[in-house]
Each structure stands twice: as structure tokens, then as C-alpha cells.
Amino acid sequence: MDDAFTLLRRAADLLPEDAAAQNGQTVGDVREEIEFQEWETALDVLIEIAEVHPVSTAFWEMLAEAARQMMLVRSRSWCEWRGREVEHGTIRAALTLLGADEGGRQSAFSGDGRLRPLWDIGNRTADGQRDLNIARLWAEFAPRLGPGETARVRLAPLQPEQWRHLGPGDVITMHEAQPVVGIAEIVEVLPPHVWGGWTARCAGPRPTVVSRRRASG
């Protein structure tokens, strides 16, 4: 197995030389950080570049393994998450948790993708009953999310094909068991990425979602 140094260099080699992050950092900066053995910084710059430049699952796998070797737990989890999004697509939403006095959670949870709540996304069983779907949750820029708080989140459905009908402005509800514990408005949906181009969005009938309103952005 390649060491972290080699993995970071190989990942940089997958990027065009003119690829740059929003803050202006480039592949050349990555190579300099690797040369000076600033591996954690090199990893961070590669992640930033990949946020604006399409990359493959192999790229994210290399970064995830490098992060594992450097014992950067959250960075590893994020790279694994992003690799999954390349394969299955991206769903982002603005999530507001109900307060404890509203029947919501009693405590905060980690926003690093480990929580697997249920979601009402409008799907129904054959006899018309509500059919809840599982999706892991990653809170952007929020290590933890507590009752009454709002954050932008990413969702990783257990069965992505059942979520294809959602679009910006759709409102879904988060459940733990049956009670509603949060309300989320979809703000962005991106299809899976195929190296060299985007796949077509899956077609099919749209189930009735909880509600639909104009997206907030």
C-alpha cells in the first residue's frame, strides 16, 4: 500500500495543472507542500481544489487513505463522503431541528455522517401508508448540531434511487422512530458524476413530497 506522501502526489497528478481552489491555491501549491512534507496542508488544498473541479472516486479514495494514515479522522470521513457523492449524487438541504420542548431531540449529535435518521420524502407504501427512507447526515461547518439549531447539511440516502424526484424547494421531514425531529428544505441536487461528464438525471414519476416552496438559495 502506498504511503500518504505517495497518495497525495498521485492525487495531485490526477488534476490538470491549471486546476485551482476558490481561494486561488493551485496544484503547484500542493506540490510545494508535499516537497516540504507539509502533508496535512497538501491534503487540505487538494480537498479545496476538488470542491470546484470535477474529480473521480479514485481521487477521493487516495485522499481518504492518506487521511487515515495521518490519523485525520474527520478529513478521512469527509473524503469518503465526497467519493460517495461522485458515485451517487449530491443532496444538500437547510435543516432546522425542532426544540426539545417541541418534541425534538433532547441532545446534540455529531455532524460527521454517522447519524442515520429516517426521512419522509413523500414515498408511500402499496397501501398508501407513509414510507420513511434512511439517509446519513453530514452537517456542513458544524461539528455538532443540537435542538433548535439550523445548518446546511448533506444527505447520503441508503437507497439513492428513491430520492431522485427531489429538487430545490422540496421540504422533507427528519424522524427518529416516528416523531418529526427536524424540517429540511432541499437547496441543491446534483446527479452522479461520470468521469468525463455528468449522467442524466433519473426519470420517473414524482411521489408527493411533504410540501414544496421556493428555495431560499
Side-chain angles (χ1 to χ4, degrees):
M1 179 180 296
D2 290 334
D3 58 23
F5 169 86
T6 302
L7 289 165
L8 294 174
R9 179 176 53 76
R10 288 177 57 199
D13 289 342
L14 292 177
L15 296 170
E17 287 301 320
D18 60 352
Q22 285 186 338
N23 60 11
Q25 291 180 296
T26 66
V27 176
D29 294 321
V30 173
R31 299 192 195 286
E32 287 185 8
E33 299 295 348
I34 293 175
E35 182 179 350
F36 293 122
Q37 298 186 2
E38 296 289 344
W39 297 346
E40 185 172 347
T41 302
L43 173 66
D44 290 341
V45 176
L46 285 169
I47 290 173
E48 290 294 328
I49 293 175
E51 293 301 321
V52 297
H53 189 281
V55 296
S56 65
T57 54
F59 176 92
W60 288 114
E61 287 169 356
M62 291 177 191
L63 295 196
E65 176 56 25
R68 185 194 69 80
Q69 293 185 24
M70 290 186 283
M71 295 183 288
L72 302 173
V73 177
R74 189 171 177 85
S75 293
R76 176 189 178 182
S77 297
W78 176 242
C79 292
E80 291 173 343
W81 185 282
R82 294 291 282 117
R84 187 189 184 283
E85 287 185 337
V86 171
E87 184 176 358
H88 296 290
T90 300
I91 301 175
R92 298 177 66 238
L95 171 66
T96 298
L97 295 180
L98 273 63
D101 59 346
E102 300 174 291
R105 292 178 58 91
Q106 299 297 310
S107 60
F109 61 84
S110 176
D112 61 359
R114 285 179 289 177
L115 188 70
R116 298 170 179 257
L118 297 165
W119 302 87
D120 183 354
I121 60 174
N123 290 332
R124 296 293 180 265
T125 62
D127 59 359
Q129 298 299 310
R130 182 174 62 181
D131 191 14
L132 300 179
N133 295 83
I134 299 173
R136 292 191 296 129
L137 182 157
W138 185 287
E140 298 181 347
F141 313 115
R144 296 181 65 79
L145 192 59
E149 295 181 341
T150 297
R152 288 293 177 95
V153 299
R154 291 174 182 250
L155 304 178
L158 183 64
Q159 297 173 297
E161 69 281 357
Q162 295 191 9
W163 294 63
R164 301 299 189 204
H165 61 283
L166 293 176
D170 285 337
V171 177
I172 62 178
T173 53
M174 173 179 162
H175 300 251
E176 292 187 272
Q178 290 298 319
V180 174
V181 296
I183 301 173
E185 180 178 347
I186 304 298
V187 298
E188 183 181 41
V189 177
L190 296 176
H193 182 267
V194 174
W195 196 235
W198 290 96
T199 63
R201 186 171 184 172
C202 294
R206 289 174 60 91
T208 302
V209 294
V210 176
S211 66
R212 186 174 179 86
R213 63 174 184 254
R214 186 177 180 83
S216 59

